[in-house]
Amino acid sequence: MAYLTLSNISKQFGDTYAVQDFNLDVEKGEFVSFLGPSGCGKTTTLRMIAGFETPTDGAIALGGADITNKPPNQRKMGMIFQSYALFPNMTVAQNIGFGLRVRKDSKADIQERVREMISLVNLEKHAEKYPYQLSGGQQQRVSLARALAIRPDVLLLDEPLSALDAKIRVSLRAQIREIQRKLGITAIFVTHDQEEALSISDRIVVMYDGNVEQVGTPFEIYNFPTTTFVANFVGSLNTAVAEVTDPAKGLLSVNGVQFSSAAKMDGLQKGDNVRIAIRPERFSFASEVRKANVVDCRIENITFLGSVVRVHMLIGNSSFTMDTFNYPSLELPRIGATEQVTCSREAVLLLEEVRANGHEPKL
Amino acid sequence: MKSSISSSSPLANPAVRGARRPSRFKFGYWLGVLPFFVFSALLLIAPTVILGYRSLEGPDGGLTLDNYRQLTSEAVLSAYGMSIRISLTSAVLGGLVGFLIAWAISIGGLPRPLRTITSTFSGVASNFAGVPLAAAYVFTLGRVGVVTALFELLGIDLYRSGFSLYSFTGLTLVYMYFQIPLMVLVILPAIDGLKREWREAAENLGATSTQYWRDVALPVLMPSILGTMILLFGNAFGAHATAYALTGGLFNLATLLIGQQISGDVLHNPGLGYAVAMGMVIIMALSILIYSVLQRRSERWLR
Amino acid sequence: MTVSAAPTQATVKSETARAPVRKNRFWSWLIFVVGALYFLVPLAATFYWSLRAEKDKFGFEAYRRLFADTNFLPSFSESIVNAIAAILISLLIIVPTAYWVTLRLPKLRPVIEFITLLPFVIPAVVLVFGLIRLYSRPPLLLTATYDSSRILLVCVYAALSFPYMFRAVDNGLRAMDVRTLTEAAQSLGASWPTILFRVIFPNLRVALLSGALLTFAIVIGELTIALFMAQHTLGPYMANLTRSKVYEPSAMAIVAFAITWAAMGIIQLIGRGQQGQIAGGH
């Protein structure tokens, strides 16, 4: 039995579903991210776990006990808000001790725990400062310490890094993950930033429009997206409509250019239309001979992005981009030149079908 | 005023600018605000300064603090005392009631339109003072007022049982009519400044609603509440028109005493009259000062 | 992605979680109703009296008598003219000041904010005391004639409106980012008058109107200063009326209330809650 279970959760506001039929099992100590654009229902789901919203349907269980209708102040879930939500009238130490004070721990216990938490987030020098005297990153660390002080069963993080500068975002991200590992605490992390989700999570739940699109490890989500939305939202991507020419051998045709894919094509028949996806970095110039997928392309444009050079090219009549690492001896082709590029069979992903000729393909 | 403009950002470096350009340009700058200063000086500052100067003048000329020492004389002290009692009571009560109303219409869960209506009405009522307000209360709680009559129907004679509109209680009740709405207007933004996340964070950490209000919301609001009450104090303390209209200027109140002093030297000492007036200015200035200090503190929190 | 929960949408399931809110709402309603009673009863009582001028019958006789009073309309119109004059003077002084302070002299802001606080610090009765002492003898003899006193009164009203006017205009200027707009207009070759009248004023309409209406509401029935300057304006007239007549004062109070409502209502309509006002001068 999983530690935190969300079964068939739905949340309706008026006539619209913010979240629809959400299912998830979270293991103890796991770090799960909810990833999606704004309005996808990720925050609503988190707020239902925290108890700030009540599901219209479905149940939430923690450690086997149903908590669907438990008031938030009895759930023991530490929540971190995007706006930090530190109490402005309290010092750092008082903020951290708040949860312990309201449950009437002894003074000595509170002091001890607060000191422990302050050193956990490296704020020893700031214990007696007020929130307005701290930087955003420091405030969010206080917020983290405050949530952890009550030894919560689950740590909930609602876009905790979105209000911070890029550099602090990255370092605090690492700090959060490190602390979460050290304490072995179960964490749910809401973000719209795919890089954040990929770098920090054990598992990612990609959400869109109130629905779960895909659940998987960062590796799976990135390398094997199962829907167009996931493929597009996580990383950049080339997609094209392809016609199945030989399902047994995994052969497809994009405007007459043949591709070979390692994806399973059970249930597909010759002539079915599918959507394929290839990540830009999976292409390379065909300097060495490969078995599969060596195709001609016309170089349309070249964009220099620093560590990466992005090549815009036409394959058949479809536009593709290729990302290739930048190094000093790199020889870039002329714009307008015809070159050969290659990608492995595994790089050619199948998303969902576009139009099936009377068949229901299962992917 | 063509002199003052160059299309690049002229304020970017005032030091360099001032060094390079002739002072004529600076004068051009000041021309825009000159009327304001002249006007304020002639109509607000000079009259106060002359009162201040006269209050320090002895009967035979020369500077003295004698007039201020006489502020402790009984006539003055009782007028100040009544003014302070009425202002303090109407500020504290008006502040409390105003806060409760502001709470009810903002986060108390009442329908949204009530908030709009209440805040517009507060704008009206906080400016509905002076003669019309006094008249309205005469018709309500005066000897022949409607409410007085209603109490009579219930067998209660308000005026026999010690109530009078022309007393401390009556005047306080009347003042509350503009004190409460002013509190609502000033405190509403502060209540709006309470972030939903604070409440959620508190709940999340195990706090009950009472604990949240006691430990977070009220402490956060306290500077605003206290500051606004002090503002209300000043508002009532300087009020003249309402009391004048209600009592014909004969009640023992600091503002009315000054009024009497203007009409004819009732204190039989012009210098003392000036000192009474300056005393009011000092008390008002102190209350405004404390108000702005507290307001600044709460703004820092509610940012 | 913040979703605000409308409490009315709480389902049966969530009743337990919503229970505290329902308890609060009872208190909210109680407070609101008691408060509303406190504020409406005096108005209702006054209105009741204003309809009772004729024996044994309700009617608008008190209003008729009020408007028929030979002194009412002259003092009313004099007050209106005074108010409009004060508003114009105030606008003429405050708009350039606020504009200049925002654009050129930000260092002066604290000084100006301090000065605009003075009308709150100096009670009206103290101010008029000082004005009379200052301007009732040479070299600054301004209270010698009725008309010169009237000019002084209008100027004082303008000065008293500074806090409201400055705040309204200042908020308006901040809301429209006056610096960028001015620089944009300059870069397009606009002259100063063009900038002021074609760019700044149109964008400030709401702020100017709010400040003007608030000033109007405060000045129209002003008693204290007019009284001691022996002016025949609405305030002293009303004070006199309450002492000499029985029913007319009730009609007068209702009319005054209606005027204040009109001014505030328009502010609310045009500004949708833009005003940050502090009342004063009671």
Side-chain angles (χ1 to χ4, degrees), chain C:
Chain C
M1 221 187 84
T2 46
V3 184
S4 61
T8 45
Q9 287 158 352
T11 57
V12 181
K13 233 178 187 175
S14 62
E15 282 298 272
T16 46
R18 298 287 176 197
V21 175
R22 284 204 329 200
K23 194 183 92 193
N24 285 348
R25 229 178 281 164
F26 165 76
W27 289 109
S28 304
W29 277 112
L30 187 75
I31 290 163
F32 183 80
V33 169
V34 171
L37 275 179
Y38 173 77
F39 282 98
L40 295 181
V41 164
L43 295 177
T46 308
F47 187 62
Y48 170 81
W49 267 97
S50 76
L51 300 177
R52 292 302 308 271
E54 283 176 292
K55 251 202 155 72
D56 302 326
K57 115 175 210 227
F58 287 99
F60 291 95
E61 173 64 15
Y63 295 87
R64 198 196 57 73
R65 279 191 218 157
L66 176 68
F67 281 91
D69 185 344
T70 47
N71 288 327
F72 174 69
L73 285 180
S75 61
F76 193 20
S77 61
E78 182 167 335
S79 278
I80 290 178
V81 172
N82 285 356
I84 291 172
I87 289 167
L88 289 179
I89 295 174
S90 181
L91 283 176
L92 274 176
I93 291 174
I94 288 298
V95 173
T97 304
Y99 182 62
W100 227 237
V101 163
T102 310
L103 209 61
R104 307 272 151 195
L105 298 164
K107 278 186 191 158
L108 269 187
R109 175 175 291 280
V111 182
I112 286 176
E113 281 181 347
F114 173 76
I115 290 175
T116 58
L117 272 180
L118 288 180
F120 296 139
V121 175
I122 311 165
V125 70
V126 173
L127 183 62
V128 74
F129 195 9
L131 286 166
I132 288 172
R133 288 293 170 271
L134 186 61
Y135 295 112
S136 63
R137 62 196 66 171
L140 294 160
L141 184 58
L142 287 175
T143 54
T145 68
Y146 185 85
D147 286 334
S148 63
S149 293
R150 189 174 173 189
I151 292 170
L152 182 60
L153 181 75
V154 166
C155 290
V156 174
Y157 283 170
L160 289 183
S161 79
F162 283 176
Y164 313 101
M165 206 59 101
F166 181 76
R167 210 163 296 191
V169 176
D170 193 45
N171 286 346
L173 287 174
R174 276 177 200 215
M176 71 192 233
D177 190 2
V178 58
R179 167 162 309 210
T180 314
L181 270 185
T182 303
E183 285 175 357
Q186 279 169 4
S187 72
L188 294 168
S191 67
W192 267 110
T194 315
I195 293 175
L196 219 55
F197 287 98
R198 303 285 296 275
V199 181
I200 305 297
F201 279 163
N203 280 300
L204 270 182
R205 241 177 337 207
V206 171
L208 298 182
L209 212 51
S210 306
L213 285 165
L214 198 55
T215 305
F216 186 84
I218 291 160
V219 162
I220 189 73
E222 202 280 334
L223 172 68
T224 305
I225 298 173
L227 183 75
F228 290 108
M229 286 195 178
Q231 294 288 298
H232 305 151
T233 53
L234 198 56
Y237 168 80
M238 292 193 297
N240 200 24
L241 193 71
T242 51
R243 253 170 280 152
S244 55
K245 296 281 168 52
V246 181
Y247 293 99
E248 283 90 326
S250 57
M252 180 262 317
I254 295 296
V255 170
F257 189 72
I259 293 173
T260 317
W261 247 122
M264 292 299 145
I266 297 171
I267 292 177
Q268 187 76 18
L269 269 184
I270 57 171
R272 282 271 153 239
Q274 275 193 7
Q275 86 271 36
Q277 65 197 28
I278 302 177
H282 304 302

Side-chain angles (χ1 to χ4, degrees), chain A residues 120-294:
Chain A
L120 182 72
V121 293
N122 302 319
L123 285 170
E124 289 91 342
K125 281 185 197 144
H126 306 287
E128 295 313 315
K129 284 190 183 167
Y130 284 89
Y132 73 91
Q133 297 168 307
L134 302 178
S135 71
Q138 289 168 335
Q139 289 190 52
Q140 199 56 293
R141 270 146 63 197
V142 177
S143 168
L144 181 66
R146 182 179 68 177
L148 290 171
I150 59 168
R151 299 178 207 277
D153 295 330
V154 181
L155 186 64
L156 305 173
L157 304 104
D158 186 6
E159 306 239 13
L161 307 171
S162 302
L164 300 172
D165 295 341
K167 262 195 177 156
I168 297 167
R169 201 150 53 198
V170 172
S171 74
L172 187 53
R173 176 169 95 194
Q175 233 178 321
I176 288 175
R177 179 59 158 153
E178 189 194 314
I179 289 171
Q180 180 266 341
R181 277 219 180 95
K182 196 155 91 188
L183 303 178
I185 190 170
T186 314
I188 304 205
F189 183 94
V190 160
T191 179
H192 63 267
D193 182 334
Q194 43 116 353
E195 186 200 318
E196 220 166 84
L198 291 171
S199 65
I200 203 171
S201 322
D202 292 319
R203 270 197 304 157
I204 298 175
V205 179
V206 185
M207 293 181 70
Y208 178 61
D209 208 13
N211 293 301
V212 174
E213 290 279 320
Q214 189 176 354
V215 182
T217 64
F219 187 83
E220 290 165 346
I221 295 284
Y222 189 83
N223 290 313
F224 306 106
T226 54
T227 71
T228 314
F229 175 79
V230 175
N232 275 318
F233 193 76
V234 182
S236 50
L237 197 76
N238 297 296
T239 60
V241 176
E243 188 185 331
V244 177
T245 49
D246 187 342
K249 290 184 181 159
L251 295 182
L252 307 131
S253 158
V254 179
N255 291 328
V257 180
Q258 196 183 54
F259 279 91
S260 164
S261 170
K264 287 198 181 101
M265 297 200 187
D266 308 339
L268 284 176
Q269 299 205 344
K270 187 171 158 35
D272 284 350
N273 276 327
V274 294
R275 189 176 280 276
I276 62 160
I278 305 168
R279 297 233 177 254
E281 70 270 20
R282 303 297 297 269
F283 279 116
S284 59
F285 290 115
S287 49
E288 56 202 279
V289 181
R290 291 225 190 186
K291 276 179 217 155
N293 293 338
V294 179

